[in-house]
Amino acid sequence: MDIKSAIQQAALPEHIAIIMDGNGRWAKEKGESRIVGHYEGVVSVRDIVEGCGEIGIKYLTLYAFSTENWSRPKAEVDALMELMVSTIRKEAEHLKKNNVRLKLIGNITDLPEICQKEMQEGMDITEGCTGLTLILALSYSARWEIVAAAKKIAKDVLNGTITEEEINDAYFGKCLTTAAFPDPELLIRTSGEHRISNFLLYQIAYSELFFTDVHWPAFRKKDLYEAILNYQQRERRFGMTSEQVKP
Ligand code: FPP
């Protein structure tokens, strides 16, 4: 049986989040500049979006640019911004044809205007799509998001929209940039690092974590399917006992 057909449809994660790491190291190993690694990373993005669509994943969140990434050398930041713009410009119609809806999370107003405009156009073009929702995390960090949510809730209490007693984890979740999406059941990080790097800290409370040594530019559908198969072999207990969660 090939790896794709081994996946149980009834136990698919609804939402997969990916920390795409290793573009720079992949490029270095090939004697290329880091930017080449980012360009090849887009080839992986295309393959993984297609792979998610093929098996019926509903949400895919990609950590494409973190708040901390602004501290990289200016040439690399500029190249990444240009790559986002050119990729979305090229791919928006293709996404629509494949019924993929584009969404963004992050401090979007930090992005160059052309990038904001192109992303907005991509979201407008794909607005009515009902297959996979592709969520790009751009200028995103979980601490930024949690602090913004705390500020919003403080205002809500001050202006009487909500009382302190009514604040609960569901309300908090609704104040995050991911309010419209379910929490990811599976979080994948490529390239051998075992850390979360300020990504979706609130939302991954009960996510299954999968780490692979494969660098992002080399990550393909088969690697995604391997991660899903691994996820399907796990027992998710949510703090309960094994006996309680056994079907
Ligand atoms: C991490 O590898 C990768 C990034 C910071 C950028 C990821 C962006 C892309 C793949 C482009 C995506 C484009 C769209 C439109 C979704 P790294 O540079 O940290 O690699 P290293 O750890 O080996 O140095």
Side-chain angles (χ1 to χ4, degrees):
M1 198 193 300
D2 76 359
I3 186 158
K4 185 172 156 192
S5 32
I7 293 173
Q8 302 164 52
Q9 277 297 313
L12 273 184
E14 189 179 16
H15 184 173
I16 299 176
I18 306 184
I19 302 174
M20 306 182 288
D21 194 17
N23 293 357
R25 276 163 287 166
W26 180 90
K28 195 171 175 190
E29 281 171 16
K30 301 246 174 305
E32 299 282 0
S33 77
R34 298 177 54 81
I35 314 286
V36 172
H38 297 316
Y39 273 78
E40 278 301 311
V42 172
V43 180
S44 302
V45 168
R46 216 175 280 130
D47 197 60
I48 296 312
V49 167
E50 199 180 290
C52 283
E54 279 174 23
I55 58 167
I57 300 295
K58 294 302 292 177
Y59 300 89
L60 171 68
T61 299
L62 299 178
Y63 203 7
F65 194 88
S66 71
T67 307
E68 291 76 17
N69 287 154
W70 290 114
S71 307
R72 290 195 174 193
K74 185 176 180 310
E76 183 170 343
V77 170
D78 289 350
L80 273 167
M81 290 300 140
E82 276 169 33
L83 183 59
M84 308 284 175
V85 169
S86 61
T87 303
I88 295 304
R89 189 174 288 159
K90 250 194 311 213
E91 299 288 339
E93 286 298 339
H94 186 65
L95 290 175
K96 183 179 178 184
K97 212 184 289 165
N98 287 284
N99 204 17
V100 178
R101 180 174 66 139
L102 179 68
K103 290 284 175 189
L104 294 190
I105 56 170
N107 198 357
I108 305 307
T109 52
D110 274 0
L111 300 170
E113 254 175 51
I114 176 74
C115 190
Q116 294 184 42
K117 183 173 161 285
E118 210 58 54
M119 292 292 161
Q120 189 56 55
E121 251 177 69
M123 288 192 286
D124 292 344
I125 289 170
T126 60
E127 181 59 48
C129 296
T130 56
L132 174 72
T133 296
L134 169 63
I135 304 149
L136 297 183
L138 285 178
S139 193
Y140 173 89
S141 76
R143 286 184 176 179
W144 161 80
E145 174 182 48
I146 290 168
V147 168
K151 285 183 182 172
K152 180 191 176 304
I153 293 170
K155 271 194 203 141
D156 289 350
V157 172
L158 280 176
N159 65 28
T161 312
I162 190 167
T163 64
E164 183 193 328
E165 291 68 35
E166 285 169 328
I167 301 169
N168 55 21
D169 63 354
Y171 189 78
F172 203 95
K174 289 293 164 210
C175 297
L176 297 171
T177 59
T178 49
F181 319 123
D183 290 342
E185 295 95 332
L186 173 61
L187 171 70
I188 299 172
R189 181 171 188 145
T190 60
S191 209
E193 308 293 355
H194 294 191
R195 57 176 169 260
I196 303 300
S197 301
N198 218 346
F199 188 43
L200 301 177
L201 293 179
Y202 191 87
Q203 299 87 340
I204 61 166
Y206 272 102
S207 303
E208 297 297 327
L209 310 182
F210 182 89
F211 299 101
T212 170
D213 288 339
V214 178
H215 295 318
W216 178 252
F219 193 83
R220 288 292 177 272
K221 281 177 209 178
K222 70 164 178 43
D223 302 297
L224 172 75
Y225 295 156
E226 252 168 48
I228 295 173
L229 279 177
N230 181 290
Y231 161 85
Q232 291 188 330
Q233 282 151 24
R234 300 186 191 186
E235 182 179 69
R236 306 190 71 211
R237 292 194 292 277
F238 303 98
M240 291 180 280
T241 66
S242 185
E243 290 69 28
Q244 281 177 298
V245 297
K246 277 225 166 74

